[in-house]
Amino acid sequence: MLFRSDAIITPAISVLSAIEGLKLVTPHLEPYVLPITVVILLALFMAQSRGTGKVAAFFGPVMLVWFATIAVLGVMHIGDAPRIFAAFNPSYGLRFLGAHGFIGFLVLGSVFLAVTGAEALYADMGHFGRKPIQIAWTYLVLPALVLNYLGQGAMVLADPEAMKDPFFLLAPQWATLPLVILATLATVIASQATITGAFSLARQAIQLGLLPRLEIQHTSSSHEGQIYLPRVNITICIGVLLLVAVFKSSSALASAYGIAVTASLVVDSCLAFIVVWRLWKWPLWGAALVCGGFLAIEIAFFSANIVKFFDGGYVPVGVGLVMVVLMWTWQRGTKLLEDRKS
């Protein structure tokens, strides 16, 4: 349920945040941010039935260019305030939390948004295997993100006015529009990965009897993992468009996103404890020690995000429940129609 919510929130917040960069190109484009976002999202969901095999070869090079670009942009600005390297010292963060009390607790909820997306890595594990994901994360994604965040932090330290949009302001003025286009392509690909993961998890849930039987179309003759579930696609599309229409900006969606991700991570760690203890046959204390360490961090982040429940954090729970009820109702109605015809 939580990952279904994540699959709805991720395309909405990702594409919106990318298209919002148009406002930096010229303020006159601000009224077109929502219409452009809706058109891109509709095209994305309409393309699902054709499968991703034909465009998958395009995804890899785009993401390589994306991560290389954000790494270079970060490196360009680290020199603005070299003291940003002090961010690697955790004592500063702990000191900040201790000195600012509840405000520090709220900041913890905002900081967590920097690591969102990691919870979706496991969704396509069955398609790629562990090794490719480990290599891509260790040698490409993580270094690029760290360099970019350091660059953003250094730029804000040198010029607090840059806080209004530190990512796009990393680029020179002439490069803002190309960066918006590249960011849009990257967020579409990221959204595609989340949607594909939702299809995969839905099929697993059907096989386990947790969801009613739904139509599953195989879009590739050579790759088992490339599937399309029409009903899941339609429900996700409706949910994404509703979120865009209601919240209208990526910042407004941030509260909902944080709760969906942190709650997913907490559930994952609880399930990991059972796997490590029961299936891997670890001693109880060993499984509790390893999984408990992750769980303690995740509960802290979840607690920091839950205070934003009434600012939009209720969306993941509500959306997940609505999607489950909708698919059950849809399946039941289809069965009744089939029974009447027969």
Side-chain angles (χ1 to χ4, degrees):
M1 182 182 72
L2 289 168
F3 188 80
R4 290 176 187 279
S5 301
D6 194 358
I8 290 177
I9 299 170
T10 296
I13 193 172
S14 299
V15 178
L16 257 178
S17 62
I19 302 301
E20 284 171 350
L22 290 173
K23 294 185 291 186
L24 294 179
V25 178
T26 170
H28 299 296
L29 292 175
E30 184 170 358
Y32 300 100
V33 169
L34 284 180
I36 293 174
T37 299
V38 169
V39 170
I40 291 174
L41 289 171
L42 281 174
L44 174 64
F45 284 101
M46 290 174 65
Q48 295 305 309
S49 61
R50 301 180 181 273
T52 58
K54 296 180 180 179
V55 293
F58 175 70
F59 288 177
V62 170
M63 296 312 292
L64 283 174
V65 172
W66 166 250
F67 285 114
T69 300
I70 65 174
V72 170
L73 290 175
V75 170
M76 288 170 53
H77 287 273
I78 289 177
D80 294 351
R83 66 183 187 276
I84 189 62
F85 285 108
F88 287 112
N89 187 346
S91 66
Y92 288 102
L94 295 173
R95 211 178 305 165
F96 176 84
L97 291 175
H100 293 82
F102 186 69
I103 294 177
F105 185 68
L106 295 178
V107 170
L108 191 64
S110 300
V111 169
F112 179 78
L113 295 176
V115 298
T116 51
E119 82 291 348
L121 285 174
Y122 73 92
D124 282 331
M125 188 75 77
H127 298 169
F128 303 106
R130 183 176 67 179
K131 203 66 176 178
I133 292 176
Q134 286 180 325
I135 293 173
W137 173 257
T138 305
Y139 298 106
L140 176 64
V141 180
L142 181 59
L145 291 174
V146 169
L147 289 173
N148 189 264
Y149 289 144
L150 287 173
Q152 289 187 49
M155 182 177 66
V156 170
L157 287 175
D159 179 15
E161 290 295 322
M163 194 179 300
K164 60 183 179 181
D165 201 330
F167 175 74
F168 284 109
L169 289 176
L170 286 174
Q173 184 65 36
W174 62 266
T176 302
L177 183 57
L179 182 60
V180 170
I181 296 172
L182 181 59
T184 302
L185 292 174
T187 54
V188 167
I189 294 172
S191 301
Q192 174 62 61
T194 307
I195 295 169
T196 303
F199 290 161
S200 178
L201 290 183
R203 180 174 66 170
Q204 294 172 40
I206 292 168
Q207 293 170 340
L208 293 171
L210 301 176
L211 284 178
R213 287 180 296 175
L214 300 171
E215 178 186 356
I216 300 176
Q217 299 177 9
H218 291 267
T219 59
S220 172
S221 58
S222 57
H223 297 281
E224 172 67 20
Q226 291 186 17
I227 58 175
Y228 170 64
L229 282 74
R231 294 178 181 177
V232 174
N233 188 60
I234 291 174
T235 52
I236 293 177
C237 180
I238 293 172
V240 170
L241 295 178
L242 284 175
L243 286 184
V244 171
V246 172
F247 286 89
K248 295 183 174 60
S249 71
S250 58
S251 58
L253 272 168
S255 298
Y257 196 37
I259 290 181
V261 174
T262 52
S264 295
L265 290 175
V266 169
V267 173
D268 290 344
S269 292
C270 292
L271 294 175
F273 169 75
I274 297 174
V275 170
V276 173
W277 178 33
R278 293 291 190 179
L279 298 182
W280 294 2
K281 306 299 182 182
W282 281 35
L284 179 60
W285 66 268
L289 184 63
V290 172
C291 296
F294 289 106
L295 196 58
I297 297 172
E298 291 159 1
I299 289 176
F301 280 119
F302 176 73
S303 302
N305 278 276
I306 200 66
V307 298
K308 297 181 284 187
F309 183 84
F310 294 105
D311 292 329
Y314 55 85
V315 169
V317 178
V319 167
L321 289 174
V322 168
M323 286 189 64
V324 171
V325 171
L326 183 58
M327 281 193 290
W328 273 100
T329 305
W330 195 342
Q331 178 67 15
R332 181 62 179 169
T334 303
K335 189 176 184 306
L336 288 174
L337 288 175
E338 291 174 352
D339 291 343
R340 288 183 180 180
K341 289 179 181 180
S342 60

